[in-house]
Amino acid sequence: MKILVIDGQGGKIGKMIIEGVKSSNISCELTAIGANAVATATMLKAGADNGATGENPVVVLSRTADIIIGPLGIIAADSLLGEITPMMAAAIGQSSAKKLLLPVNLCNNIIVGTNAQPLSKLIDEAVEELSKICCKQ
């Protein structure tokens, strides 16, 4: 199972996702892709198996990923303070991978019908959903 964790800025959300996946002992290849080098380094320190930075890794690895996890902004061009390029958003959106998107309601992307929850609760729910998906395979 190939899982991409995509994040930008400081990589905090990606770090928390990776730590949650690792502590859940989900059998997978976990690749961190940062929109910048700091985000990538943060996610690698959290235990990602592989890491890369920037637009091209998102485009290339989205083609073969089974699951993509990250904040909602990764599918919106120019989000994460402009770090998500239109090509990155399109590659993620067009990927056949299942997408687990955390509705952090930042960057002018607000999901209605969801209750505001602490980031740690969103991470727990994402890891739980990932576990369900991986157990089906």
Side-chain angles (χ1 to χ4, degrees), residues 15 18-19 40-48:
K15 172 185 182 253
I18 290 165
E19 289 171 345
T40 304
T42 298
M43 292 187 285
L44 283 169
K45 286 179 188 173

Side-chain angles (χ1 to χ4, degrees), residues 27-95:
S27 179
C28 64
E29 178 185 343
L30 194 57
T31 300
I33 304 179
N36 62 65
V38 172
T40 304
T42 298
M43 292 187 285
L44 283 169
K45 286 179 188 173
D49 300 315
N50 307 295
T53 302
E55 181 178 82
N56 201 55
V58 169
V59 172
V60 172
L61 296 175
S62 291
R63 294 179 196 143
T64 58
D66 296 306
I67 300 170
I68 298 172
I69 307 174
L72 173 69
I74 65 172
I75 60 167
D78 300 329
S79 64
L80 277 64
L81 298 177
E83 292 183 344
I84 301 300
T85 67
M87 190 176 285
M88 292 164 87
I92 295 164
Q94 292 172 346
S95 172

